[in-house]
């Protein structure tokens, strides 16, 4: 039944080329970029051609395949030095999403064990990372949907669907599963400034999958909750600390505070690869700062008054005490804290 609401893939691998759906131009145009250089893959991650923590990790894994092929083809006897440089460039493309470094580590280990041409083993590992993510998303959708009561309205922030993952989605996967089960009365999506991932991407995905969606300005969420229109806020995450603090798209913390004020439950959905047990709390998560122009401009046209500056963190941190449940493919953690997170990851 879920296949009725799972028609989109953000990345494709074919004949040594990685094809990425360019998310910068959605929903006006559906264009794929064909990449066969590791530097281009790192650039695509950095420049938001592809975004969403799981999708970034998968893309980096395929980028490592491209790097391995190029380095081994150029110098079979000394390919590892350049390959390591390529992996580092991939890992540094977006610093907050832990899935990126996690995927790079897996590819590094696979390359370390390679005897001769590393490409077959690297490609096998990249495909495994991709397929594992889709299976994990389906499992998380199933687990998360069990918390949703019939006739619920849900609110989501940013984009956490097939565009942000290998397929199906994390938070949007829960929404897809809950919709398929007939539990949802409505889905609301924050527009998600400054990149408008909710308006451009989440709304596009849901419409593609025949799931009705109502778009709201980010600042309207609290009032919508005040009116009793929302039962759950469901979001993804780019990194979860060992104590259950959650880093996610800027604006998530505001939604969590509003949800607590209005008695609305708050769910975080992310694969276990997003949990970073080496980071003690959200205070230790690096927060990516992006160009002021993203706030000062819309579509390349300046909207702010001349002379105004901008502060543009890409993410914020929601404390664990504001989270009702974290859903992973390994299981769920209600009222997360350090001990419960450790038990999950064991």
């Amino acid at each position: 039944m879920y296949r009725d609401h799972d028609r989109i893939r953000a990345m494709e691998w074919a004949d040594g080329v990685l094809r990425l759906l360019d998310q910068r131009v959605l929903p006006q145009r559906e264009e794929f970029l064909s990449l066969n250089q590791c530097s281009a893959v790192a650039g695509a991650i950095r420049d938001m051609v592809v975004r969403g923590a799981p999708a970034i990790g998968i893309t980096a894994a395929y980028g490592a395949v491209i790097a391995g092929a190029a380095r081994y083809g150029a110098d079979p006897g000394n390919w590892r030095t350049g390959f390591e440089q390529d992996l580092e460039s991939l890992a540094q493309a977006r610093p907050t999403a832990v899935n990126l470094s996690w995927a790079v580590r897996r590819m590094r280990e696979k390359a370390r064990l390679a005897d001769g041409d590393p490409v077959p083993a690297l490609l096998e590992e990249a495909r495994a990372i991709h397929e594992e993510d889709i299976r994990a998303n389906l499992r998380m959708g199933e687990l998360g949907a069990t918390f949703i009561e019939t006739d619920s309205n849900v609110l989501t922030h940013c984009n956490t669907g097939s565009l942000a993952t290998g397929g199906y989605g994390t938070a949007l996967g829960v929404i897809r599963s809950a919709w398929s089960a007939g539990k949802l009365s409505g889905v609301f999506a924050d527009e998600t400034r400054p990149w408008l991932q909710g308006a451009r991407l989440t709304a596009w995905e849901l419409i593609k999958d025949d799931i009705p969606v109502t778009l709201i300005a980010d600042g309207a969420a609290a009032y919508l909750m005040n009116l009793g229109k929302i039962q759950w806020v469901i979001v993804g995450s780019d990194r979860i600390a060992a104590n259950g603090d959650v880093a996610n798209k800027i604006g998530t913390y505001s939604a969590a505070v509003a949800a607590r004020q209005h008695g609305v439950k708050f769910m975080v959905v992310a694969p276990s690869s997003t949990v970073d047990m080496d980071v003690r709390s959200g205070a230790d998560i690096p927060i990516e700062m992006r160009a002021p122009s993203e706030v000062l401009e819309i579509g390349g046209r300046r909207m702010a008054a001349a002379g105004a500056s901008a502060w543009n963190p890409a993410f914020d941190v929601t404390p664990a005490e504001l989270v009702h449940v974290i859903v992973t493919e390994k299981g769920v953690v209600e009222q997360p804290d350090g001990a419960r997170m450790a038990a999950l990851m064991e």
Side-chain angles (χ1 to χ4, degrees):
M1 181 166 56
Y2 64 83
R3 289 296 180 190
D4 294 336
H5 306 294
D6 182 30
R7 304 187 179 112
I8 299 162
R9 291 294 179 267
M11 70 285 293
E12 300 173 354
W13 177 267
D15 299 325
V17 174
L18 176 62
R19 298 180 73 241
L20 295 178
L21 181 60
D22 191 344
Q23 299 184 35
R24 301 169 301 180
V25 299
L26 287 172
Q28 284 77 19
R29 304 193 306 276
E30 297 180 28
E31 297 178 356
F32 277 87
L33 302 182
S34 296
L35 309 179
N36 59 7
Q37 294 183 333
C38 182
S39 61
V41 176
I45 294 171
R46 184 174 55 252
D47 296 338
M48 305 279 280
V49 172
V50 62
R51 24 68 50 209
I56 288 171
I58 295 163
T59 298
Y62 286 124
V65 179
I66 293 171
R71 296 295 185 177
Y72 186 80
D75 188 356
N78 191 35
W79 62 272
R80 295 179 186 273
T81 300
F83 178 74
E84 182 58 37
Q85 295 171 354
D86 293 334
L87 290 186
E88 188 61 24
S89 72
L90 289 167
Q92 293 303 315
R94 299 285 306 272
T96 300
V98 72
N99 304 67
L100 179 56
S101 57
W102 168 84
V104 168
R105 284 196 302 272
R106 279 186 59 167
M107 299 306 287
R108 178 181 288 116
E109 178 63 17
K110 187 60 64 169
R112 186 184 68 82
L113 299 173
D115 183 14
D117 185 356
V119 173
L122 290 173
L123 181 56
E124 180 182 28
E125 187 73 355
R127 284 177 167 158
I129 290 171
H130 195 167
E131 292 165 4
E132 287 167 14
D133 186 68
I134 296 173
R135 289 196 299 271
N137 292 341
L138 293 170
R139 177 60 175 159
M140 289 185 287
E142 176 185 321
L143 291 172
T146 63
F147 288 87
I148 309 300
E149 299 83 8
T150 302
D151 295 328
S152 290
N153 287 329
V154 299
L155 172 70
T156 192
H157 186 70
C158 196
N159 173 261
T160 57
S162 298
L163 292 173
T165 64
Y168 200 65
T170 55
L172 214 57
V174 170
I175 290 171
R176 283 183 163 111
S177 293
W179 179 265
S180 295
K183 290 186 169 185
L184 297 184
S185 295
V187 178
F188 291 84
D190 284 340
E191 61 177 356
T192 320
R193 283 279 291 149
W195 272 79
L196 298 172
Q197 293 99 326
R200 296 188 304 106
L201 306 180
T202 295
W204 179 79
E205 277 202 47
L206 291 173
I207 290 167
K208 279 275 190 180
D209 282 352
D210 298 321
I211 300 175
V213 58
T214 301
L215 190 68
I216 64 170
D218 295 0
Y223 185 49
L224 191 65
M225 296 178 202
N226 179 261
L227 294 176
K229 300 292 187 180
I230 300 296
Q231 283 68 55
W232 278 93
V233 177
I234 308 177
V235 301
S237 176
D238 288 79
R239 189 179 300 210
I240 300 174
N243 70 339
D245 291 349
V246 174
N248 194 48
K249 182 56 58 184
I250 190 73
T252 301
Y253 179 38
S254 299
V257 170
R260 178 56 57 94
Q261 171 67 21
H262 296 99
V264 174
K265 294 179 179 178
F266 194 89
M267 179 187 298
V268 176
V269 189
S272 58
S273 57
T274 302
V275 180
D276 189 348
M277 297 301 289
D278 293 328
V279 170
R280 184 174 57 182
S281 74
D284 300 318
I285 296 175
I287 299 298
E288 177 185 359
M289 301 298 296
R290 294 187 62 85
S293 60
E294 295 179 353
V295 174
L296 299 172
E297 300 173 359
I298 296 180
R301 179 183 177 188
R302 188 176 178 98
M303 305 300 293
S309 61
W311 182 64
N312 187 22
F315 305 92
D316 56 28
V317 175
T318 298
E321 56 263 29
L322 297 180
V323 178
H324 285 84
V325 60
I326 293 175
V327 178
T328 78
E329 83 284 5
K330 287 188 173 184
V332 302
V333 178
E334 298 184 61
Q335 307 300 324
D337 60 19
R340 293 187 176 100
M341 294 303 299
L344 171 76
M345 296 306 290
E346 286 175 359

